[in-house]
Amino acid sequence: MDGVGESSKSGSGVSSSQLMKNGAFCDEESCPKQVSPIRVGGSRNTSPLGRVGSRNTSPSRQKVIKTKPRGLDEETVATFGKVVHPDIQMEDNIWAMLPEDLLNEILARVPPFMIFRLRSVCKRWNSILQDNSFLKFHSQVPSHGPCLLTFWKNSQTPQCSIFSLPLKVWYRIPFNFLPQWAFWLVGSSGGLVCFSGLDGLTFKALVCNPLTQTWRTLPNMNYNQQRQLIMVVDRTDKSFKVIATSDIYGDKSLPTEVYDSKIDKWTVHQIMPAVNLCSSKMAYCDSRLYLETLSPLGLMMYRLDSGYWEHIPAKFPRSLLDGYLVAGTQKRLFLVGRIGLYSTLQSMRIWELDHAKIMWVEISRMPPKYFRALLRLSAERFECFGQDNLICFTSWNQGKGLLYDVDKKLWSWIAGCALQSYNSQGCTLMTT
């Protein structure tokens, strides 16, 4: 997970918080059992003299029947919340004698959200895990993998739960190091998380690193109005940018502003042409920002390198009720939404933009059993977001989370999502 930067500011009075693992959110995984054949009584001669030429009924020759445990179907097998085996106890004296460089190599490969727990092991580990050189080394190791991040405020105290998809475990992170005005979750990128809010009458934004619990308040924008924001991280030069588009109340006279962490300032760019937006949801991929428009119909694309807006006449599929733009890897851009005017005929589908033909091509449909479980009512609200060709669906009324892997074409429930993300104020996928 990349740091906010050398010039990052830590919240005053912030202490390192230890993550708590909620093991109750993982379901047990049943294992196939062997069932021995049932012996039926009778007058059959089983004496040694009578077994000449008869069938061998010794245990080594008995047929083994493998059965599937009841209630274990393909849906359960594919669930991301499989059982996690308990930690293996190791000898204290072995870890105490490890050389410094070897210990750093081992700890650098620990998933980011477990570092909080390891700080309480001993003073030596606590010192290593908070050292800037170690944190920089930790950010250079291969990615831990995608995580689902949910954010809410409990009695005005920011709380965050993160579900590790590779480890299938929920982690709780108290966000008490953030200022009180940081209320709305903007999104995450490259291990950093962006928030926005109103500090009195001033609209502000900040970027934080949950691992180091450091944060930076961005300078005030040139136009002090509540804006739609999106953050992107460039891992090559360890920098990030925040793009502010139109006003959330529909003021089309505001120019686009871009914050660059390398120069620590907002720059004013072109005003987005007068269009009627379908949704405030945005997607960023391949240095381009996309928004849905009704008039003119299609997409508005903002080129970050040139700072100009451009209209793409990609017509939406027929009978599309609600659509979400989701950014995939490289240049892949997905459209996710419900199709059908009547509740009995509705279905959830996924399209991909063909950049050459400027048209949406259907690539997948949500199976009916998942659709009925996720959205029981035709007008029920759902959220959709994604990262790295993973698309996540959440239904706040049902309190469920569903994940679709575009590459593997696999649908899977996210275990424990009902307890973690219900009534959450924000939810996003992040890569650590």
Side-chain angles (χ1 to χ4, degrees):
M1 183 182 295
D2 296 331
V4 174
E6 294 181 359
S7 59
S8 303
K9 301 176 183 178
S10 298
S12 59
V14 175
S15 60
S16 301
S17 302
Q18 182 180 2
L19 290 175
M20 299 182 64
K21 173 181 174 183
N22 294 327
F25 299 122
C26 300
D27 300 328
E28 287 192 2
E29 179 186 9
S30 303
C31 300
K33 300 177 181 179
Q34 295 182 351
V35 180
S36 300
I38 301 177
R39 296 183 179 180
V40 181
S43 58
R44 181 179 174 184
N45 185 4
T46 58
S47 64
L49 296 177
R51 284 189 295 195
V52 178
S54 63
R55 193 176 79 179
N56 189 350
T57 59
S58 64
S60 60
R61 299 284 296 177
Q62 291 179 2
K63 183 179 180 181
V64 178
I65 303 175
K66 294 185 178 180
T67 62
K68 186 178 182 181
R70 293 183 179 179
L72 183 62
D73 53 12
E74 288 74 16
E75 175 182 333
T76 308
V77 172
T79 299
F80 276 92
K82 293 182 180 179
V83 64
V84 177
H85 298 288
D87 298 334
I88 300 175
Q89 300 295 330
M90 300 189 69
E91 296 292 336
D92 296 341
N93 56 351
I94 296 179
W95 286 95
M97 294 185 298
L98 284 178
E100 193 79 14
D101 56 346
L102 180 57
L103 182 60
N104 289 340
E105 289 282 349
I106 296 174
L107 295 179
R109 282 154 179 80
V110 172
F113 305 111
M114 294 187 66
I115 288 183
F116 290 89
R117 303 173 62 195
L118 297 180
R119 286 176 179 173
S120 60
V121 172
C122 62
K123 292 182 179 180
R124 181 190 179 195
W125 283 27
N126 182 52
S127 176
I128 293 175
L129 296 174
Q130 296 190 70
D131 185 69
N132 290 332
S133 60
F134 169 78
L135 294 175
K136 182 179 179 180
F137 179 57
H138 186 280
S139 65
Q140 296 173 352
V141 299
S143 172
H144 160 65
C147 299
L148 173 65
L149 182 146
T150 62
F151 173 80
W152 73 98
K153 279 199 171 184
N154 184 12
S155 300
Q156 297 304 314
T157 302
Q159 298 287 338
C160 174
S161 287
I162 297 179
F163 181 73
S164 169
L165 297 181
L167 297 180
K168 312 167 188 62
V169 177
W170 281 99
Y171 296 95
R172 178 72 60 85
I173 303 179
F175 264 45
N176 52 7
F177 61 93
L178 295 179
Q180 287 294 324
W181 57 263
F183 189 81
W184 296 294
L185 173 64
V186 173
S188 65
S189 178
L192 302 180
V193 184
C194 182
F195 292 90
S196 65
L198 290 173
D199 186 9
L201 299 178
T202 305
F203 179 69
K204 290 186 176 182
L206 66 80
V207 174
C208 72
N209 187 328
L211 174 60
T212 60
Q213 297 203 340
T214 55
W215 53 274
R216 174 193 295 184
T217 301
L218 305 188
N220 293 337
M221 288 183 285
N222 296 276
Y223 296 84
N224 180 30
Q225 286 184 252
Q226 196 169 341
R227 312 281 287 275
Q228 301 173 22
L229 305 176
I230 189 170
M231 180 184 65
V232 294
V233 170
D234 189 346
R235 289 182 178 270
T236 57
D237 60 2
K238 305 293 182 180
S239 65
F240 64 89
K241 294 181 179 180
V242 179
I243 307 172
T245 58
S246 62
D247 175 73
I248 65 171
Y249 301 108
D251 187 351
K252 299 180 177 61
S253 63
L254 291 175
T256 304
E257 296 191 45
V258 178
Y259 171 82
D260 191 339
S261 64
K262 291 185 292 186
I263 60 177
D264 193 28
K265 63 180 295 186
W266 292 90
T267 55
V268 179
H269 291 233
Q270 181 192 21
I271 298 176
M272 184 172 63
V275 295
N276 292 326
L277 298 177
C278 294
S279 169
S280 61
K281 303 296 183 182
M282 302 179 287
Y284 181 89
C285 63
D286 192 35
S287 300
R288 293 171 173 84
L289 179 66
Y290 295 90
L291 294 93
E292 304 172 65
T293 61
L294 279 176
S295 177
L297 190 63
L299 301 172
M300 287 301 299
M301 181 183 70
Y302 175 75
R303 295 180 179 271
L304 187 60
D305 51 357
S306 64
Y308 288 98
W309 287 93
E310 177 184 337
H311 178 254
I312 301 178
K315 295 183 178 180
F316 298 119
R318 286 187 176 183
S319 303
L320 180 65
L321 299 180
D322 38 24
Y324 288 86
L325 292 177
V326 177
T329 56
Q330 298 178 352
K331 297 182 179 181
R332 304 187 71 177
L333 181 66
F334 305 110
L335 173 66
V336 182
R338 282 183 288 192
I339 285 287
L341 299 178
Y342 305 99
S343 59
T344 56
L345 301 177
Q346 284 186 4
S347 63
M348 190 80 71
R349 305 185 188 185
I350 303 175
W351 298 267
E352 182 176 355
L353 180 63
D354 188 328
H355 295 273
K357 299 180 180 179
I358 314 180
M359 61 179 297
W360 294 103
V361 179
E362 183 177 330
I363 60 172
S364 182
R365 297 187 183 187
M366 183 182 293
K369 64 177 181 178
Y370 291 106
F371 182 77
R372 290 191 297 267
L374 186 72
L375 301 173
R376 296 182 180 178
L377 303 176
S378 59
E380 195 165 338
R381 176 175 172 264
F382 76 99
E383 295 287 341
C384 180
F385 44 89
Q387 192 175 84
D388 296 338
N389 290 350
L390 294 175
I391 302 176
C392 185
F393 302 81
T394 56
S395 171
W396 302 131
N397 291 343
Q398 302 298 329
K400 293 184 177 180
L402 181 64
L403 193 72
Y404 178 66
D405 191 319
V406 177
D407 297 328
K408 299 179 181 179
K409 302 185 182 302
L410 178 66
W411 296 88
S412 307
W413 291 111
I414 300 176
C417 192
L419 300 177
Q420 294 289 334
S421 63
Y422 189 70
N423 289 332
S424 294
Q425 295 174 349
C427 195
T428 183
L429 279 174
M430 63 182 298
T431 302
T432 56

